[in-house]
Amino acid sequence: MIPRIQKRGQRTIGLLYYLYGPGQFEEHTDPHLVASWDNNARDPGRDPNATLQQLQQLLDQPVENVEQAARPKKHVWHLSVRNAAEDRILSDEEWGEVARRMVAAAGIDTPAQGAGCRWAAVRHADDHIHIIATLVREDGFNPDLDHDAHRVQAQARALEVELGLRRLNKGDDTAAKRPTSAERHKAKRQGRERTAREELRETVRRAVAGTAGEEEFFDRLAAAGLLIRKRAAPSGDLLGYKVALPDDLNKDNEPVFYPGARLAPDLSLPRIRERWSGTGIQSALVSRQEDGAVRLGPRAPAGARRRTAAVAWQAVAVVEHGDDAVAAAHIAATGEVLDALAKTSAAHTRRELREAAAAFERASRSHVRAERGHDRALRQAARDLVHGGPALGRGEDGATTAMAIDMLLFLITTTMHWHAKKGHAQQAAAAQQAAEHLRSAYQAAAAQPIGVLHARGRRLGQPLLQRQTVLLREALPQLAEQILAEPGWYALAATIADAEAAGHDPATLLSDAVERRELTTADSVSDVLVWRLRQTAALPADTSGLSESATTAAPSVTPKAASRPLAPGRSRGGEEASGKTR
């Protein structure tokens, strides 16, 4: 049940004409009263002798009885209450009780005091009602409407339980502002899939991902085609900004601008600046070669994805065990990584990644204030992804995309548990929704590289497979039988063979992979281990272009790299060698 308080108005009769009229955006069917301040009030919808003007005069009577100077400038209060599409259809009597409970909760009607405002609840559709009230009480005083929106929301949660309706999660005022009904209808008229507010929010969110300062941020906004207005102090210091879509115009044929704070709480300029303070992100990427890393340039998409996977995995421990403010910073920066990955990934994964980023946006904010600066590595990963450029959907680009998604999936699942423990219901639900989209993206990204490894594993000689089976049972005695029964075992067998050929001790790699984290809850332990081993051992993520002899050549890393401990193991993963299910 969604109660929404609309903007206050000045003309009672105007709103009544709309409520009892045919409807502007959706058809109004059989408009009629279901409740009012007066149980004997005549209904213009059902009583042929009652008129809208008569109802308006009755509603406005307390307003007319006070001096002009004492009247509210906008005296019409309007609340809509809508049920979900899957909810049962309520009777008029039930909607009438909903209306009475809502006006009492808001402070419109105060039966105990006997001096409430006059109000009426009109139903013109199965799934919702509108409540109109005039904001002068019968005793001439104004009602106390402080926090009326919070109170009607709390009443909605109680009514959902009592009436057996879909139960929505309680909000905490950190969500982005929803589009108004006028914005939604305008988008529909213009043939847009989303409102201008939603398009702008996504564009600004993606523009800020991995930025190092104001100049770069505004350059990205301009490159995305947005109109920008900056607000400066007399000293010349920048105070804020507004953005607009070039083709979103008002009635005067002028662009409709939205301040960053109206798009989302963390998109105001002061909040964006917090990301830049103490991050240490440089304005240009510095070429670097990490110890043991595959030799890919720092600007290459595959190299950026490998580093993203590594950083995401390190962030898991921070979210699980770190200080709340530091964990919140990592969660916020994870949203930037998702935006950057969605922006630069291939078409067959882009849609699900965009949906994951959009869903996770709600999970990136809570009342736990992020202590920025500790999230430097994640923000640098987002920057690397953007500067690395678009990734191909095949080869090392495609395979490392699957690797990065695999690690991010675990980070987001950890975020979901973090929010759930703190009672952040909306954020936990958003993280869960993001994880579902990531699983779909993983299936698309992993199908080809995991399929290649699976085929290579099946072609391994029987003696080698038997030796690896013994090795697995010795290294992971509690998980070995589960892994051997999974279709992904053959992909893991090929990876173990590659690790041996590169000079690594596979038993050490496997045992280290599970030593610091349990894997019993993984959908497919073998899929998890494939990516962990290939990253830690610096093996190519994609082997489709390599011959069998090339992957069984002499070791290609130093003994120091070969003996380096593996980062903690994981508890999420894929299932089939084809990447079918995660």
Side-chain angles (χ1 to χ4, degrees):
M1 179 174 287
I2 302 176
R4 180 172 293 172
I5 297 176
Q6 311 292 339
K7 290 183 179 179
R8 295 184 186 181
Q10 297 175 305
R11 297 183 64 248
T12 305
I13 190 65
L15 181 54
L16 287 174
Y17 275 133
Y18 167 74
L19 297 180
Y20 279 91
Q24 296 177 0
F25 309 114
E26 56 187 358
E27 183 178 356
H28 292 178
T29 304
D30 185 25
H32 60 280
L33 286 179
V34 292
S36 72
W37 87 101
D38 180 358
N39 292 331
N40 297 315
R42 297 169 65 185
D43 180 9
R46 297 283 178 87
D47 186 342
N49 296 317
T51 67
L52 295 178
Q53 288 79 6
Q54 290 171 341
L55 180 57
Q56 172 260 317
Q57 290 170 358
L58 289 172
L59 287 168
D60 281 343
Q61 191 172 67
V63 180
E64 298 293 336
N65 288 341
V66 299
E67 295 292 333
Q68 182 74 37
R71 298 176 188 176
K73 292 182 178 179
K74 293 186 177 181
H75 70 276
V76 181
W77 185 86
H78 178 199
L79 171 72
S80 63
V81 187
R82 185 180 297 268
N83 281 347
E86 61 267 29
D87 284 335
R88 66 181 179 86
I89 297 176
L90 302 184
S91 66
D92 279 353
E93 290 72 21
E94 288 173 314
W95 274 122
E97 180 60 21
V98 169
R100 282 184 281 271
R101 295 270 292 272
M102 286 293 179
V103 293
I108 292 294
D109 198 1
T110 52
Q113 300 179 21
C117 299
R118 295 189 177 187
W119 59 274
V122 179
R123 182 182 188 181
H124 54 214
D126 288 338
D127 63 350
H128 69 278
I129 60 171
H130 293 263
I131 301 173
I132 177 175
T134 49
L135 298 181
V136 174
R137 302 192 319 185
E138 297 283 4
D139 59 6
F141 291 98
N142 296 332
D144 178 11
L145 297 181
D146 288 344
H147 309 296
D148 55 347
H150 291 279
R151 296 199 295 260
V152 297
Q153 288 289 347
Q155 189 62 234
R157 303 293 82 79
L159 286 165
E160 288 164 358
V161 175
E162 295 176 28
L163 297 174
L165 306 176
R166 176 187 174 189
R167 298 177 66 178
L168 301 181
N169 292 319
K170 183 179 179 181
D172 62 359
D173 292 332
T174 62
K177 182 177 175 59
R178 292 184 179 185
T180 65
S181 58
E183 290 170 350
R184 292 195 304 272
H185 294 310
K186 181 180 181 181
K188 186 176 181 180
R189 291 196 310 271
Q190 295 176 340
R192 298 178 185 271
E193 292 185 3
R194 298 178 298 168
T195 64
R197 182 192 299 273
E198 292 167 317
E199 287 189 33
L200 289 168
R201 180 164 62 240
E202 179 180 0
T203 303
V204 174
R205 199 182 68 231
R206 292 172 69 177
V208 78
T211 53
E214 288 178 5
E215 183 178 358
E216 182 182 16
F217 170 56
F218 287 114
D219 284 347
R220 288 194 192 179
L221 291 180
L226 301 189
L227 303 179
I228 307 166
R229 284 183 182 172
K230 300 178 183 180
R231 182 167 59 90
S235 63
D237 294 336
L238 188 61
L239 300 177
Y241 73 100
K242 297 179 180 180
V243 289
L245 296 175
D247 58 349
D248 180 39
L249 308 177
N250 60 18
K251 59 182 178 60
D252 298 321
N253 210 34
E254 298 173 340
V256 180
F257 281 87
Y258 292 81
R262 285 184 56 195
L263 299 177
D266 55 348
L267 294 182
S268 67
L269 188 58
R271 293 293 299 276
I272 290 175
R273 281 172 172 157
E274 291 177 7
R275 310 186 192 204
W276 300 325
S277 61
T279 63
I281 294 178
Q282 302 302 312
S283 60
L285 287 177
V286 178
S287 178
R288 59 185 182 271
Q289 178 66 40
E290 297 180 5
D291 182 30
V294 172
R295 291 185 175 277
L296 294 168
R299 290 182 180 272
R305 278 153 176 72
R306 275 188 176 270
R307 289 189 293 274
T308 296
V311 169
W313 184 248
Q314 293 165 2
V316 169
V318 177
V319 175
E320 281 188 328
H321 307 298
D323 176 80
D324 282 352
V326 177
H330 280 71
I331 291 170
T334 299
E336 293 191 47
V337 174
L338 285 173
D339 280 319
L341 189 63
K343 182 178 181 179
T344 58
S345 289
H348 70 299
T349 58
R350 192 177 305 141
R351 181 185 177 114
E352 290 294 345
L353 288 173
R354 287 182 65 175
E355 292 293 339
F360 192 77
E361 185 260 351
R362 181 66 188 95
S364 66
R365 292 186 305 272
S366 69
H367 280 303
V368 179
R369 189 64 177 265
E371 189 174 309
R372 307 308 292 246
H374 298 281
D375 54 352
R376 173 183 176 180
L378 279 169
R379 296 207 69 240
Q380 182 68 57
R383 186 174 181 81
D384 284 357
L385 288 167
V386 173
H387 284 265
L392 300 175
R394 59 186 183 276
E396 194 71 12
D397 282 5
T400 51
T401 296
M403 181 185 288
I405 294 172
D406 184 64
M407 301 302 174
L408 284 166
L409 178 55
F410 194 82
L411 175 55
I412 286 173
T413 303
T414 304
T415 296
M416 178 185 72
H417 295 315
W418 186 86
H419 280 306
K421 288 178 182 178
K422 299 189 176 303
H424 303 163
Q426 287 191 355
Q427 289 89 336
Q432 183 176 24
Q433 185 182 4
E436 291 304 316
H437 287 295
L438 276 185
R439 288 190 180 95
S440 296
Y442 174 84
Q443 292 164 16
Q448 189 272 338
I450 290 289
V452 169
L453 287 170
H454 180 268
R456 287 185 55 232
R458 292 190 70 99
R459 291 196 299 270
L460 293 176
Q462 194 61 32
L464 180 55
L465 277 173
Q466 289 177 348
R467 182 165 62 85
Q468 290 185 350
T469 300
V470 172
L471 182 151
L472 183 70
R473 286 176 171 147
E474 291 177 350
L476 307 177
Q478 296 180 337
L479 294 172
E481 299 310 316
Q482 176 183 344
I483 294 172
L484 291 170
E486 293 176 349
W489 156 241
Y490 290 103
L492 179 58
T495 296
I496 293 173
D498 292 345
E500 283 186 301
H504 293 270
D505 177 5
T508 301
L509 292 176
L510 286 168
S511 59
D512 284 348
V514 298
E515 183 178 322
R516 302 179 190 178
R517 184 176 303 283
E518 57 82 25
L519 292 174
T520 55
T521 58
D523 290 344
S524 171
V525 177
S526 53
D527 227 34
V528 174
L529 294 176
V530 163
W531 295 121
R532 289 304 305 141
L533 266 62
R534 300 202 78 82
Q535 172 156 333
T536 305
L539 302 172
D542 176 69
T543 64
S544 58
L546 301 179
S547 65
E548 293 298 322
S549 59
T551 58
T552 56
S556 61
V557 295
T558 64
K560 179 181 178 181
S563 62
R564 187 179 54 190
L566 182 67
R570 301 190 48 231
S571 61
R572 278 250 43 107
E575 180 178 302
E576 240 278 31
S578 64
K580 182 173 65 175
T581 309
R582 280 196 57 72

